[in-house]
Amino acid sequence: MALKVELKPGERIILGDCVITNSDQRARLLIEGETPILREKDILTAETADTPAKRIYLAIQLMYTSKDARAYHEIYFKLVSDILKAAPSTWPLIESVNNHILAGEMYKALKEAKKLIAYERELVDHALHRNGEQSGTGRARSA
């Protein structure tokens, strides 16, 4: 069964190791075969991978789109080690990502890595909120 992809004007998609940019009109593609496909909204760049979880996502993205996923294993495992030291509570998500990678299910690993990014955001928001309460910036002042 073919994958149906609709692209907005100017939208990009990664198809294998190629980047396809749509022209100025909406386009509908039917894609058959076993090649990595990523929509623009799911693509991270080195510039946008600005947190530990996003860097893990980028490493998985590179594994997914590469002909040799193993070329990115060393950096991936270094990033995983770093995030686990900083936030051990990420282990269940990391374990799920690892299991998908070991099974060769890179797209599923990417989906799990998105959950890791969301969890990381929750941790940061919680820490900021807690710091705001402790420093008094989270409280209203009376005049």
Side-chain angles (χ1 to χ4, degrees):
M1 186 166 152
L3 174 67
K4 297 175 187 176
V5 177
E6 192 163 315
L7 298 175
K8 299 173 189 165
E11 186 176 7
R12 296 181 310 161
I13 187 171
I14 291 178
L15 189 60
D17 57 1
C18 299
V19 176
I20 298 169
T21 304
N22 191 21
S23 64
D24 59 350
Q25 295 181 18
R26 190 174 279 285
R28 186 172 301 148
L29 305 173
L30 298 176
I31 302 170
E32 295 184 51
E34 296 292 321
T35 193
I37 300 168
L38 278 179
R39 296 184 70 102
E40 186 168 14
K41 67 181 177 132
D42 297 321
I43 299 170
L44 280 184
T45 65
E47 294 77 30
T48 58
D50 56 1
T51 70
K54 287 181 182 180
R55 286 189 281 278
I56 287 172
Y57 182 96
L58 178 61
I60 299 166
Q61 176 184 299
L62 292 169
M63 284 186 236
Y64 177 56
T65 58
S66 172
K67 288 180 175 53
D68 181 17
R70 286 177 280 165
Y72 299 97
H73 282 187
E74 185 176 338
I75 186 69
Y76 168 78
F77 287 112
K78 169 75 171 96
L79 292 167
V80 164
S81 174
D82 291 347
I83 201 169
L84 285 171
K85 285 177 190 167
S89 62
T90 60
W91 172 245
L93 290 166
I94 295 292
E95 182 179 34
S96 180
V97 170
N98 286 344
N99 288 339
H100 287 301
I101 290 172
L102 290 171
E105 300 168 336
M106 295 301 173
Y107 188 76
K108 289 181 180 179
L110 280 172
K111 289 175 76 171
E112 285 298 305
K114 280 192 167 190
K115 293 177 186 176
L116 179 64
I117 292 169
Y119 181 68
E120 176 187 52
R121 180 78 249 154
E122 287 176 26
L123 290 176
V124 170
D125 288 347
H126 179 73
L128 290 174
H129 179 72
R130 194 175 68 206
N131 280 343
E133 285 178 358
Q134 288 174 356
S135 67
T137 58
R139 288 180 263 172
R141 297 181 187 209
S142 57

